[in-house]
Amino acid sequence: MKKQQSPEMYLIKNDQFWHCQFIQLKPITIQIRNGFLNGNIEKQETIEISLTKFPTMERGIEVMSEQIQQKLQKGFREINSNDILKANEQQFQEKTVASSKKDLMQQKILKKVNLPEQRKPVVALTDDATQGKLVGEWPKYRARTHLGETLELGPPGDTKPIACLLAGQWNENINPTNYLLSEKLDGMRIIWSGCEMFTRNGNSLNFPTSFVEGWPTTYLDGELWLDRGQFQKLVSIAKKKQPDYKAWKDIKFMVFDAPLLDEPFVNRYAKFKKAIEKIKNPHLVYVPHVVCRGYEHLKEELALAQQAGGEGLMLRDPQSKYEGKRSNTLLKVKTTMDSEATVIDHISGMGKFKDQLGALKVQTDAGITFQIGVGFNSKLRKDPPKIGSRVSYSYYGLTDDGKPRFPVFERIREDI
């Protein structure tokens, strides 16, 4: 039986294209892709993707018809979409030093560990993971004795922190095909040492003993997480010296690595996934990963993640070893870039911000100084981050002299 095609319209004007299509999601969702063409080939690096949800197909068709009419009035014309070689149909060449031999090896490794075929967006898989749908039913009202085992995830742990692997920034010159893809979580980075929790800065964290029942006695890397957009609430719970058992009940430790396991990431992922499925502690959750199919798949997933209120995505080289430093084997994918800096001065405000904070003067680890003047709420304007504190900011690329373009304050990086 011939598969029914989703309603779509492909319009072009000179070297521009605009492609509108219903995609098979619930609820009904329209995907709009636009960018530039090189002849009849889409230039993948120019493509932008947006997604809009509708309660009914009829409402979706109505909105799509209005947008098509607007494009036709601006000089676009319809063509057969089969006449265009779309980005997801192209065989892109790797723009880095990786060879085709490496690609074949990655495919063999991915097949070996039996990663499941992706049937849901990454954000939906994250939701399934936090609800226990990926590990079967969590046992209820039953104590889990501490296994006292490393579960083949590395050597026994210690009471000392280790350096974290830090992510680089993804850019269009890096072909994401065959990387492992996951959601970027808005949580608190934590190293579990087998008996203690350490923040990224190496500070020990207090937690309810029941929270870690059955956890492996070796190192795990991950994030404490409540939900999308709940970072400040999470920090207020986690930084208390005397842990609040009721407040901790909704927190998950989202595991994305086993740092001391000296194997390629794809093997580490398979092993900590298996261990967590065995433990079945509702507070211990593995971050689900899928194989990235290419540029367009990455951009579709990014649009879905941000529509769900997520921060973005992460890409991981499946053959990479764990490094306790910033590395391009782990890449964050966002529509904006982000980084951290140290506050070195407060700039007084003017006009409606008179006698309040106007901007923060900050300095990056590389010694670049600049000002952040937007992103503050009224509380922060009156009580700004202290001089010497670390802050996170987002930005849109760099100027010619290396300063962040349009920096926006995101949050104080609390050292707890």
Side-chain angles (χ1 to χ4, degrees):
M1 183 176 180
K2 187 176 180 181
K3 183 179 179 180
Q4 185 177 2
Q5 296 296 312
S6 300
E8 66 174 323
M9 182 73 74
Y10 204 101
L11 306 178
I12 65 170
K13 178 184 178 183
N14 299 325
D15 62 345
Q16 302 177 57
F17 77 86
W18 185 86
H19 181 214
C20 184
Q21 182 179 25
F22 282 92
I23 56 178
Q24 301 302 309
L25 290 174
K26 294 183 179 180
I28 299 299
T29 305
I30 288 181
Q31 173 186 265
I32 294 178
R33 304 165 55 255
N34 61 85
F36 291 88
L37 298 169
N38 182 9
N40 69 332
I41 301 175
E42 291 181 352
K43 298 173 68 173
Q44 55 81 21
E45 68 275 8
T46 70
I47 296 175
E48 295 181 356
I49 297 176
S50 63
L51 298 170
T52 307
K53 296 181 180 180
F54 297 94
T56 64
M57 177 68 80
E58 289 74 18
R59 176 56 182 159
I61 292 175
E62 180 183 347
V63 171
M64 187 163 72
S65 298
E66 292 174 356
Q67 295 194 25
I68 291 170
Q69 187 62 35
Q70 291 173 4
K71 288 293 180 183
L72 293 175
Q73 291 174 353
K74 292 180 179 180
F76 281 77
R77 62 184 177 86
E78 181 184 0
I79 65 167
N80 189 330
S81 64
N82 293 329
D83 295 338
I84 298 294
L85 185 60
K86 300 183 183 65
N88 63 344
E89 298 168 347
Q90 298 173 31
Q91 298 297 316
F92 294 109
Q93 295 293 322
E94 185 81 43
K95 293 185 179 181
T96 63
V97 295
S99 64
S100 59
K101 183 176 181 180
K102 177 184 176 182
D103 289 340
L104 290 173
M105 182 59 70
Q106 287 183 355
Q107 292 171 13
K108 288 180 180 179
I109 292 174
L110 297 175
K111 185 176 181 181
K112 180 180 178 182
V113 297
N114 295 319
L115 283 176
E117 180 184 354
Q118 185 182 3
R119 300 181 183 276
K120 290 184 176 182
V122 166
V123 287
L125 291 175
T126 301
D127 292 338
D128 285 351
T130 57
Q131 296 166 21
K133 294 179 181 179
L134 302 185
V135 297
E137 185 177 357
W138 278 319
K140 296 181 180 179
Y141 312 114
R142 186 178 63 136
R144 300 164 188 83
T145 57
H146 198 291
L147 296 180
E149 300 174 1
T150 63
L151 298 179
E152 300 182 357
L153 297 179
D158 201 344
T159 58
K160 299 178 181 179
I162 60 173
C164 293
L165 169 64
L166 302 177
Q169 295 274 2
W170 178 79
N171 62 69
E172 297 278 0
N173 292 322
I174 302 173
N175 186 343
T177 306
N178 290 334
Y179 275 70
L180 296 190
L181 178 66
S182 63
E183 181 178 354
K184 185 179 187 303
L185 302 176
D186 184 22
M188 181 188 299
R189 185 71 175 272
I190 292 292
I191 293 289
W192 166 251
S193 74
C195 59
E196 291 191 53
M197 287 186 192
F198 293 99
T199 67
R200 200 177 87 177
N201 295 317
N203 297 314
S204 183
L205 205 64
N206 296 315
F207 53 87
T209 54
S210 59
F211 189 83
V212 298
E213 285 178 344
W215 286 22
T217 55
T218 187
Y219 284 86
L220 295 174
D221 188 3
E223 292 195 9
L224 291 180
W225 197 57
L226 266 176
D227 202 350
R228 301 177 186 95
Q230 296 294 308
F231 177 80
Q232 294 300 338
K233 181 179 179 181
L234 171 69
V235 171
S236 68
I237 295 171
K239 71 180 182 180
K240 293 181 178 179
K241 293 184 178 180
Q242 185 64 35
D244 183 338
Y245 282 67
K246 289 184 178 180
W248 274 79
K249 68 181 177 62
D250 294 325
I251 296 177
K252 312 290 184 186
F253 181 46
M254 306 293 290
V255 178
F256 43 68
D257 216 331
L260 299 191
L261 190 59
D262 189 24
E263 297 184 24
F265 175 73
V266 71
N267 290 1
R268 301 199 302 275
Y269 173 68
K271 288 187 175 182
F272 70 70
K273 175 177 176 291
K274 180 180 178 181
I276 290 171
E277 288 171 344
K278 176 182 179 181
I279 294 168
K280 291 186 182 296
N281 181 325
H283 298 295
L284 186 66
V285 180
Y286 69 86
V287 176
H289 289 64
V290 300
V291 180
C292 183
R293 300 191 299 271
Y295 288 94
E296 183 141 340
H297 178 212
L298 182 67
K299 291 183 178 181
E300 288 174 355
E301 291 285 358
L302 180 59
L304 285 167
Q306 294 181 330
Q307 189 177 64
E311 278 204 336
L313 301 171
M314 302 297 293
L315 287 171
R316 192 65 181 271
D317 182 344
Q319 295 193 75
S320 62
K321 299 291 187 71
Y322 193 92
E323 303 173 84
K325 61 180 183 179
R326 194 168 299 280
S327 171
N328 284 335
T329 63
L330 176 66
L331 300 167
K332 49 190 171 185
V333 185
K334 301 176 66 176
T335 51
T336 59
M337 299 178 179
D338 62 74
S339 191
E340 297 176 11
T342 302
V343 178
I344 59 175
D345 199 4
H346 296 152
I347 309 300
S348 298
M350 300 175 64
K352 67 177 182 178
F353 296 135
K354 186 179 180 180
D355 299 325
Q356 299 182 48
L357 176 71
L360 291 177
K361 187 176 182 179
V362 300
Q363 185 176 60
T364 68
D365 294 339
I368 303 295
T369 60
F370 60 96
Q371 294 183 14
I372 304 174
V374 295
F376 308 104
N377 57 29
S378 57
K379 182 179 178 181
L380 284 170
R381 292 283 183 188
K382 296 174 183 176
D383 184 19
K386 295 179 173 59
I387 293 176
S389 63
R390 296 282 288 180
V391 296
S392 295
Y393 62 93
S394 58
Y395 62 103
Y396 296 80
L398 299 173
T399 62
D400 292 340
D401 55 358
K403 295 186 177 183
R405 183 178 285 112
F406 310 124
V408 178
F409 173 83
E410 295 293 339
R411 66 169 69 103
I412 301 171
R413 296 301 307 188
E414 299 198 42
D415 184 4
I416 63 174

